[in-house]
Amino acid sequence: MATAYIIGLGRSGIAAAKCLKQDGWEVIISDRATSENLNPLQQQLQAEEITVKLGHTPNLNSNALPKLIVVSPGVPWDIPFLIEAREKNIDTIGELELAWRYLNSSPWVGITGTNGKTTTTALVAAIFQGAKLNAPSCGNIGYAACELALSQLQKDSTSNYDWIIAEVSSYQCESSQALSPKIGLWTTFTADHLNRHKTLENYYAIKASLLYRSEYQVFNSDDPYLHQTGLHQWADAYWTTVKGKENLLCDSSKGVYIQDNWVVAFGELILPLNLFKMPGSHNQQNLLMAIAAARLAGIEKGAIASAIATFKGVPHRLEYITTIDGIDFINDSKATNYDAAEVGLLSVKSPAILIAGGEGKEGDDNKWIAQIKSKAAKVLLIGEAAENFAKRLHDADYHNYEILETMDKAVERSLTIGREVKAKVVLLSPACASFDQYQSFEHRGDDFKELCQKLKED
């Protein structure tokens, strides 16, 4: 029996392990974590004859080498163990690539980008499902991709997928070198994850690899970097713009754009823009990308309009939570970099109270700070990045900030200050990863929501 080694005991790693076990592999899954909270999960998997190694750093010193290594998205692709595995010609892939091997008889929509991919994925899935297609979303949203593959292996009657709608991060692009969507969407591109990908050029090449393998390629013409590259690359691509067809980088017959408050796709009126309720031009960009995918998939414009009219947005991205004393509390926990946090501030009313901070990232924070100076009456700083953010704000001649360290202190303080300055909004838009204090941006956003609801009750 061939052996597969899974690295990472998160949702995707567990799904990969179960999928391979179902397919007849001997499976070992390891994780560096040793928390007692993992013991029930370890017992459950071992009852399914999956070997679990906690507090374990894998190595290739034994004679019995695995035939396959599957990496969860959070595991860096260039750690010595994986480099050595590839040098030894051991099949080394990501969890999304494993799912592709089982699910490539169905067409995929692959959505990547620095920002906007989660909302775009949710919009694509809503339109496809509204058209009565069996089109689950997976990747960074919805299911782990291998959960869909496992369902198909188990001959579940719901697993005859018309489409797979996959949000694909740069980490997943990097470890999925055969994944070839029918339709590939690229939403935006700015500096992010450079601590992992090292250079902007490498980060671009990783994302571009997914689009090169896509049969149809759709790009956001309003993104400055993608617009510039589009002048000499991607000659056969489809392009979208909220700025009218003159801003397209293609013939209007291959473009999706806004003209006179109508969405026009490939030369045909699709729907009036007022059907779409999400605020901000960035969300209109996401909408156009999703409509391009739907039309390329042959979905009728009536089904598109019906889905858009009822679309409510996605959790943790400019998500309205509650109103206290006339102040709206907005959860934008998914804003894990400066560009996303800048968009968050652009999208809310002022004066705003901003809660920011967490595990800091590299990147250009100048536009974000400019928006803070324009929109924020006060910035409440939490997490590891608080001291650095305070210094950056001070150096930019912005002094209305406080370091509060934790979310509970920040939420409580935000209402007090909000009343004083007659704020319109309290916005959690961290511009940081969450891993200093939370398991994920979802965990952080959920904590914010609970604290806001408790504040309202009190």
Side-chain angles (χ1 to χ4, degrees):
M1 184 184 299
T3 301
Y5 202 108
I6 317 294
I7 305 177
L9 197 58
R11 182 174 180 178
S12 62
I14 293 167
K18 290 185 175 184
C19 185
L20 287 165
K21 187 64 183 178
Q22 178 72 27
D23 201 26
W25 291 73
E26 180 182 345
V27 180
I28 301 167
I29 184 168
S30 77
D31 200 293
R32 289 182 298 176
T34 57
S35 170
E36 290 184 3
N37 295 335
L38 295 174
N39 290 341
L41 179 59
Q42 181 181 28
Q43 293 169 6
Q44 174 200 330
L45 291 171
Q46 291 185 162
E48 298 178 37
E49 299 182 340
I50 294 170
T51 302
V52 179
K53 296 183 177 182
L54 297 178
H56 181 73
T57 300
N59 62 73
L60 296 171
N61 296 332
S62 71
N63 292 326
L65 296 177
K67 186 176 180 181
L68 174 66
I69 296 173
V70 181
V71 183
S72 298
V75 178
W77 192 236
D78 60 354
I79 60 174
F81 171 73
L82 295 179
I83 293 172
E84 183 184 358
R86 293 193 291 270
E87 288 173 348
K88 292 180 181 291
N89 293 318
I90 297 171
D91 192 12
T92 306
I93 61 174
E95 178 264 345
L96 200 66
E97 178 91 337
L98 178 64
W100 165 256
R101 293 182 178 184
Y102 291 106
L103 297 171
N104 60 29
S105 61
S106 298
W108 286 48
V109 180
I111 300 106
T112 197
T114 306
N115 295 306
K117 55 185 179 293
T118 297
T119 300
T120 302
T121 303
L123 279 162
V124 172
I127 295 170
F128 281 52
Q129 292 164 16
K132 310 303 182 188
L133 295 170
N134 186 3
S137 57
C138 67
N140 280 0
I141 183 174
Y143 295 96
C146 278
E147 290 174 339
L148 301 178
L150 177 62
S151 180
Q152 185 157 287
L153 283 168
Q154 293 171 333
K155 302 295 188 274
D156 186 327
S157 61
T158 64
S159 63
N160 298 316
Y161 306 117
D162 297 310
W163 287 84
I164 305 292
I165 314 300
E167 178 183 341
V168 189
S169 71
S170 59
Y171 299 174
Q172 291 162 318
C173 288
E174 191 174 36
S175 60
S176 302
Q177 296 169 4
L179 171 61
S180 302
K182 178 83 169 178
I183 303 169
L185 310 181
W186 194 338
T187 58
T188 57
F189 185 76
T190 53
D192 197 12
H193 306 302
L194 297 188
N195 58 332
R196 174 150 163 176
H197 299 314
K198 311 307 181 190
T199 68
L200 191 67
E201 292 74 18
N202 189 44
Y203 178 41
Y204 176 87
I206 287 166
K207 286 192 172 293
S209 67
L210 182 76
L211 275 293
Y212 281 125
R213 296 191 303 272
S214 300
E215 183 176 345
Y216 298 105
Q217 302 153 341
V218 183
F219 293 86
N220 171 17
S221 184
D222 299 328
D223 180 86
Y225 197 103
L226 296 178
H227 187 102
Q228 187 62 35
T229 60
L231 296 174
H232 53 84
Q233 280 185 270
W234 315 109
D236 295 326
Y238 295 77
W239 291 84
T240 69
T241 178
V242 302
K243 300 176 182 178
K245 67 179 179 181
E246 62 275 7
N247 198 52
L248 290 171
L249 290 180
C250 62
D251 184 89
S252 60
S253 65
K254 295 181 71 173
V256 182
Y257 56 95
I258 295 173
Q259 203 83 45
D260 299 326
N261 288 314
W262 273 80
V263 175
V264 184
F266 312 151
E268 183 180 12
L269 293 175
I270 301 298
L271 53 86
L273 192 58
N274 63 10
L275 279 184
F276 185 54
K277 305 305 182 188
M278 295 186 73
S281 64
H282 64 291
N283 278 321
Q284 293 175 2
Q285 291 167 357
N286 298 334
L287 171 69
L288 299 186
M289 300 288 284
I291 289 175
R295 293 301 284 156
L296 286 170
I299 295 174
E300 296 297 327
K301 62 181 183 180
I304 295 173
S306 295
I308 295 307
T310 57
F311 186 75
K312 297 285 195 296
V314 296
H316 310 294
R317 190 61 175 126
L318 291 169
E319 177 188 16
Y320 169 78
I321 305 305
T322 191
T323 300
I324 307 174
D325 293 347
I327 304 169
D328 292 339
F329 285 72
I330 306 293
N331 169 28
D332 196 32
S333 182
K334 200 176 187 308
T336 59
N337 57 48
Y338 297 121
D339 297 288
E342 178 199 349
V343 167
L345 277 167
L346 273 167
S347 303
V348 300
K349 298 175 183 176
S350 61
I353 308 298
L354 173 66
I355 300 174
E359 184 180 78
K361 288 183 174 182
E362 295 181 29
D364 184 349
D365 62 2
N366 288 302
K367 290 183 179 179
W368 176 60
I369 290 175
Q371 278 303 313
I372 288 174
K373 294 173 77 171
S374 172
K375 301 286 284 277
K378 196 84 167 187
V379 180
L380 306 179
L381 299 170
I382 63 174
E384 285 180 5
E387 294 283 352
N388 181 55
F389 278 4
K391 183 178 185 305
R392 288 290 298 128
L393 291 169
H394 181 273
D395 291 348
D397 199 30
Y398 180 92
H399 305 288
N400 295 327
Y401 59 82
E402 295 180 20
I403 295 176
L404 293 171
E405 297 179 350
T406 60
M407 187 74 77
D408 57 339
K409 293 178 183 177
V411 170
E412 184 175 358
R413 182 80 175 123
S414 72
L415 181 59
T416 302
I417 298 171
R419 287 166 171 159
E420 292 172 359
V421 302
K422 296 182 170 54
K424 301 288 187 183
V425 171
V426 170
L427 173 69
L428 169 66
S429 194
C432 283
S434 58
F435 302 119
D436 58 332
Q437 295 178 328
Y438 296 97
Q439 296 171 359
S440 63
F441 73 82
E442 294 98 335
H443 183 205
R444 175 172 61 192
D446 288 340
D447 186 34
F448 176 72
K449 288 193 279 188
E450 289 174 12
L451 290 166
C452 292
Q453 297 293 0
K454 185 175 185 298
L455 193 65
K456 183 167 188 175
E457 291 167 7
D458 291 346

